[in-house]
Amino acid sequence: MTFSRLTIAFLLCFTAQVFSQTARIQGIILNDNNEPIEGVTVVADTDKTSSNSNGYYLLKIPANQEITVRFTHITKKVYQIKVKLSPNEVFEFNPVLKSDEEQLSEVILNSRSRKRLEGAIAIDPVVIRKIPGANAGVENIIKSFGSVSSNNELSTQYSVRGGSYDENLVYVNEIEVYRPFLVRSGQQEGLSFTNSDMVQNVEFYAGGFQSKYGDKMSSVLDITYRTPTKFGASAEGSFLGGSASVEAVSPNQKWSFLTGVRYRDNSLFVNSQETETNFRPTFADVQTYVVFRPSSKWEHSFLGNIAQNQYRNEPIFRQTNFGTIDDPIALVIDYEGNENVQYNTTFGAFKSIFKPTENLNFRFIASAYHAVEQEYFDILAGYGYGDVNTNIGSNNLGEVEYVTRIGNQLTHARNDLDGLIVNFETKATYRILDKEGKGNKHLFDFGIKYTREDFRDRLVEYEVIDSAGFSMAPPNLDIIRNDQPYTSFEGPLVPFQSVRATNFVQVDRYSGYLQYGNRMKWGSTDVTFNTGARFHQWSVSGENINSSTQQTVSPRAQFSFKPAWKRDMLFRLSGGFYHQPPFYREMRAPNGQVNPDVKAQESIHLVASHDYSFKMWQRPFRLTSEVFYKWISDVNTFTVDNVRIRYAANNNAEAYAKGFDMRLNGEFVPGTESWFTFGYLKTEENIDNRGFIARPTDQRLKFGILFQDYMEKIPNVKVYINLVYSTGLPGGSPSYADPYVFQNRLNDYRRADVGFSYVFTEGNQNRPDGHWLKRFKDLSAGLEIFNLFNNQNSITNTWVRDTFTSRQFGVPNYLTTRVFNLKFTARI
């Protein structure tokens, strides 16, 4: 495949990179008494190592190949396994070497088989770090999947198969993590919790997931941070900020730590938008992951994070051109005032793992999350319509010649939130291997969890609109309509929108799960199934709140069938009940009052999947297709303004979501993984039996391409592309409008982010020892182009009235334009 042909493919929207592909197998080698063995030789092809005094070993092996690993010791029987690992994967295997009986001649292990059976999408950490995006990281990759929608590149939030942003579970090392509550704009989101420099494995479930995952309705993002095995460090810098990480282990291999520091500045994107502003953002965090292994049976770890997100904005001027070619119009706004927003969070979690035997383990987890958030702003906007020069021969073509001032808007907020969430959890897993020792014949999982949530929340915000010298009344049908200047208005002068509330709320939750998995033969077909159930009980209390207690039970099941066909095909069926007990924000109504009686939303999932693995051009490929249907009752309806969600805090609706996802991934270029995705979705809701209408997340079509390549004649040059196209979401109408009257949609979302990187360490294996580049795992510099084709994507509309207050115009709020970024990366 020549670069010229790939250039044509690039114009059709794909390209990217290649790197050396390796994986690691590590663990502790034990004897019959579960004591560590020193001096065991571990060999895979031409690579070998030996275990230390603690029985610990680490061996690098080629990825995407079936490799035989042999464990030999002068006093023990030979032990061997076959493994096939994905790039950069770390597989933990703790063999027991016996001296009094023959070992199994061969154990087949394939880390991808479990993910394939469970329907998980595995994401390579290298891809996460390399693929360009306005908010690069795990979420940037997830947004390329057909089942995921997000029309704001500055936000890490996403919707899955018609669910809201709050319906997605995120775990790091089995610990649930949270995000700030008051965020209302993608510009205010500096960093997601997940630090890409610390990631080892990422698995994503788009629906029909197992009972061991928590009580939310849409998806699961399961992330594992890596445990270091030797010293390493990395650094990255660009116009958008930078990051650094360091990792090390103690000489006895009992202690290890991994620490990452990140800083981000979104002013490069915000300055490309239409609003002229003095913008001073500061987004920074520090994360650390410490592991202590006192023995082969115990492992203790600590995961901590401190994040400070400060958003200071002083808007000055904005001009947005809209209308038609024959009748162009410009919205011109002069601003006064400023916005000061802070989201400061602290998170800490302790986890202990106890393995009394090879087949039984217990996990004990305690975590705490503390968020202190504030939104303070006073912004006065004087707006008007401008006449645009349409004279083709004029030097001022396209410029505003005359502005008619028609109104003012004052927005004010003094919102404070202090939230503390504490969790205590115990989990256990017990497995029984089949007779051949090749996999789990029986698998039992159990867990129980207690959560305490304490929120102190003050809401004080209002909006006053003056148009043509008259104060606009709120959009409420119960008051006299404002028809000035034709009819005098005799009602009270009140803000257009106003919220004032103070809430002190405590929630106690008890939840748990029990599930069982098995593998069997049905004729010549391999059948794997997992069944289980979750329970959840929560009690809401607080000042001036009537205490309320509710319970849910959620049975779930997953089945996979692999016929003994010549073609490698797998079929999956999954489903069950998925409840989402309300979190604090879901209990808070638009007027700021808390309703403790909000029920858990209930969803019934039905998912049918087909998985086909095959070879093309002598390289591995995989085609996955899924059909899904969700019926949702007791729906807590919501509106979305940018990324801010306002819930109705009642259960007066029912809804459904149905669709189809397809993903083709494989090595279109040798040694690299790329994919093409397609998604179709239709989701509607019926509010108070008024009939079904589109939900705010009804994104009908979605196409995504993530492609990696390199220049054939200059292999040091890597090329990446991340392309997304999706049809417009509902959201073109005012957030306060009756959705049955306004069903406007935003324009289609089109975006292409491209990256070019020169890798100085390419071909390091051919360089002589002592060469200065040998000390680096990766040393590269590159250029990123965001929104390559400079598409004008919008996230919401600004609604303004004309001089006579009789018409409203929806003026698009455009997202980022084309932006260039330089990037430097170093890893040792």
Side-chain angles (χ1 to χ4, degrees), residues 4 22 61 73 233 303 356 457 667 678 738 741:
S4 60
T22 60
I61 63 174
H73 190 270
L303 175 63
D457 183 19
E667 296 186 19
F678 166 75
D738 184 348
V741 177

Side-chain angles (χ1 to χ4, degrees), residues 782-794:
L783 169 69
E784 295 177 325
I785 308 175
F786 305 116
N787 197 1
L788 176 66
F789 302 114
N790 203 26
N791 293 310
Q792 284 191 313
N793 297 310
S794 61

Side-chain angles (χ1 to χ4, degrees), residues 430-434 439-444 516-519:
Y430 178 65
R431 67 190 71 218
I432 302 175
L433 298 180
D434 58 16
N440 299 321
K441 178 65 175 177
H442 303 281
L443 181 65
F444 300 89
Y516 166 71
N518 198 350
R519 191 183 69 185

Side-chain angles (χ1 to χ4, degrees), residues 601 631-638 650-657 683-696 738-740 743:
Q601 300 182 85
W631 176 256
I632 314 168
S633 56
D634 292 326
V635 173
N636 188 353
T637 57
F638 61 90
N650 55 35
N651 303 98
N652 63 333
E654 57 186 3
Y656 71 87
T683 180
E684 294 183 321
E685 60 189 6
N686 179 6
I687 306 174
D688 292 326
N689 292 319
R690 298 174 65 186
F692 281 95
I693 58 172
R695 303 191 79 195
D738 184 348
Y740 282 86
Q743 276 286 290

Side-chain angles (χ1 to χ4, degrees), residues 470-733:
F470 300 98
S471 177
M472 302 303 301
N476 189 327
L477 297 178
D478 296 330
I479 70 171
I480 301 173
R481 304 306 302 167
N482 184 353
D483 295 325
Q484 296 182 73
Y486 306 105
T487 303
S488 61
F489 180 68
E490 299 178 355
L493 294 178
V494 295
F496 189 72
Q497 295 187 77
S498 178
V499 178
R500 185 179 294 269
T502 300
N503 301 311
F504 295 89
V505 179
Q506 295 81 43
V507 184
D508 293 286
R509 302 180 187 272
Y510 297 90
S511 61
Y513 66 90
L514 177 64
Q515 67 179 42
Y516 166 71
N518 198 350
R519 191 183 69 185
M520 61 181 64
K521 280 281 189 181
W522 185 15
S524 60
T525 300
D526 290 324
V527 178
T528 303
F529 70 88
N530 184 290
T531 61
R534 290 191 63 84
F535 77 90
H536 193 123
Q537 175 180 300
W538 70 100
S539 300
V540 182
S541 60
E543 292 187 10
N544 301 317
I545 292 178
N546 295 323
S547 299
S548 174
T549 300
Q550 301 180 59
Q551 305 87 22
T552 62
V553 178
S554 308
R556 306 172 186 176
Q558 298 79 34
F559 301 87
S560 66
F561 309 88
K562 192 175 188 312
W565 296 346
K566 183 176 181 181
R567 297 183 184 274
D568 185 2
M569 292 189 178
L570 181 73
F571 300 89
R572 290 189 303 270
L573 291 174
S574 59
F577 288 82
Y578 293 80
H579 289 92
Q580 179 154 328
F583 204 56
Y584 170 70
R585 188 161 70 166
E586 296 163 77
M587 292 185 283
R588 194 179 69 183
N591 63 1
Q593 302 301 317
V594 171
N595 178 10
D597 297 319
V598 174
K599 299 178 182 179
Q601 300 182 85
E602 181 180 278
S603 174
I604 301 176
H605 286 203
L606 297 174
V607 183
S609 308
H610 173 243
D611 190 311
Y612 175 36
S613 294
F614 60 97
K615 285 194 173 182
M616 186 166 58
W617 307 315
Q618 301 303 311
R619 298 193 291 272
F621 285 85
R622 182 178 170 189
L623 177 64
T624 305
S625 305
E626 287 194 345
V627 178
F628 62 90
Y629 180 83
K630 295 194 292 186
W631 176 256
I632 314 168
S633 56
D634 292 326
V635 173
N636 188 353
T637 57
F638 61 90
T639 60
V640 180
D641 184 4
N642 203 307
V643 298
R644 188 188 196 190
I645 298 180
R646 290 180 179 269
Y647 289 93
N650 55 35
N651 303 98
N652 63 333
E654 57 186 3
Y656 71 87
K658 61 182 179 181
F660 170 77
D661 289 337
M662 185 171 64
R663 180 172 181 259
L664 174 64
N665 65 294
E667 296 186 19
F668 292 90
V669 176
T672 65
E673 182 183 24
S674 303
W675 58 75
F676 296 77
T677 62
F678 166 75
Y680 167 77
L681 166 71
K682 184 177 182 180
T683 180
E684 294 183 321
E685 60 189 6
N686 179 6
I687 306 174
D688 292 326
N689 292 319
R690 298 174 65 186
F692 281 95
I693 58 172
R695 303 191 79 195
T697 52
D698 182 36
Q699 189 169 71
R700 294 298 173 86
L701 297 177
K702 166 76 176 291
F703 297 91
I705 298 176
L706 188 148
F707 206 86
Q708 307 184 70
D709 200 3
Y710 64 97
M711 293 186 181
E712 186 176 13
K713 295 185 179 180
I714 314 177
N716 296 67
V717 178
K718 317 297 179 182
V719 190
Y720 325 83
I721 191 166
N722 187 6
L723 172 71
V724 173
Y725 166 82
S726 57
T727 53
L729 286 167
S733 55

Side-chain angles (χ1 to χ4, degrees), residues 106-260:
E106 182 177 285
V107 177
I108 305 243
L109 294 174
N110 187 333
S111 65
R112 294 196 173 204
S113 60
R114 177 189 60 81
K115 302 173 186 177
R116 189 182 181 196
L117 291 172
E118 295 179 1
I121 301 176
I123 306 174
D124 187 349
V126 172
V127 175
I128 295 171
R129 292 191 290 266
K130 295 298 182 181
I131 297 301
N135 226 326
V138 175
E139 295 85 358
N140 179 50
I141 304 300
I142 290 175
K143 290 178 182 181
S144 68
F145 299 157
S147 57
V148 181
S149 66
S150 175
N151 281 15
N152 191 340
E153 60 268 10
L154 293 180
S155 171
T156 59
Q157 301 182 45
Y158 52 88
S159 168
V160 179
R161 292 180 177 173
S164 77
Y165 298 144
D166 294 326
E167 294 181 13
N168 306 302
L169 287 161
V170 179
Y171 292 97
V172 174
N173 294 349
E174 292 189 289
I175 303 162
E176 185 175 356
V177 298
Y178 307 89
R179 57 181 175 82
F181 302 96
L182 296 184
V183 171
R184 66 174 68 204
S185 169
Q187 298 175 4
Q188 299 169 355
E189 293 185 66
L191 298 164
S192 72
F193 182 91
T194 308
N195 188 328
S196 301
D197 292 334
M198 303 172 67
V199 168
Q200 171 185 306
N201 291 321
V202 178
E203 298 177 10
F204 180 70
Y205 301 84
F209 41 88
Q210 294 181 2
S211 301
K212 66 180 180 180
Y213 295 113
D215 294 288
K216 292 197 176 182
M217 297 193 301
S218 290
S219 73
V220 175
L221 179 60
D222 193 357
I223 298 169
T224 303
Y225 279 179
R226 68 178 183 274
T227 301
T229 56
K230 63 179 181 179
F231 176 80
S234 68
E236 181 180 292
S238 74
F239 290 155
L240 294 173
S243 65
S245 67
V246 62
E247 57 189 89
V249 295
S250 62
N252 61 6
Q253 299 290 331
K254 290 187 176 183
W255 286 91
S256 68
F257 80 89
L258 172 61
T259 299

Side-chain angles (χ1 to χ4, degrees), residues 745-796:
R745 287 182 178 264
L746 299 169
N747 292 331
D748 294 353
Y749 184 85
R750 304 177 300 276
R751 186 175 179 89
D753 296 327
V754 181
F756 301 89
S757 179
Y758 187 90
V759 182
F760 297 96
T761 50
E762 182 75 14
N764 246 10
Q765 66 276 11
N766 299 323
R767 292 189 172 99
D769 294 337
H771 193 282
W772 70 277
L773 284 174
K774 276 281 191 176
R775 71 187 67 179
F776 292 96
K777 294 179 181 178
D778 178 26
L779 183 64
S780 58
L783 169 69
E784 295 177 325
I785 308 175
F786 305 116
N787 197 1
L788 176 66
F789 302 114
N790 203 26
N791 293 310
Q792 284 191 313
N793 297 310
S794 61
I795 184 63
T796 54

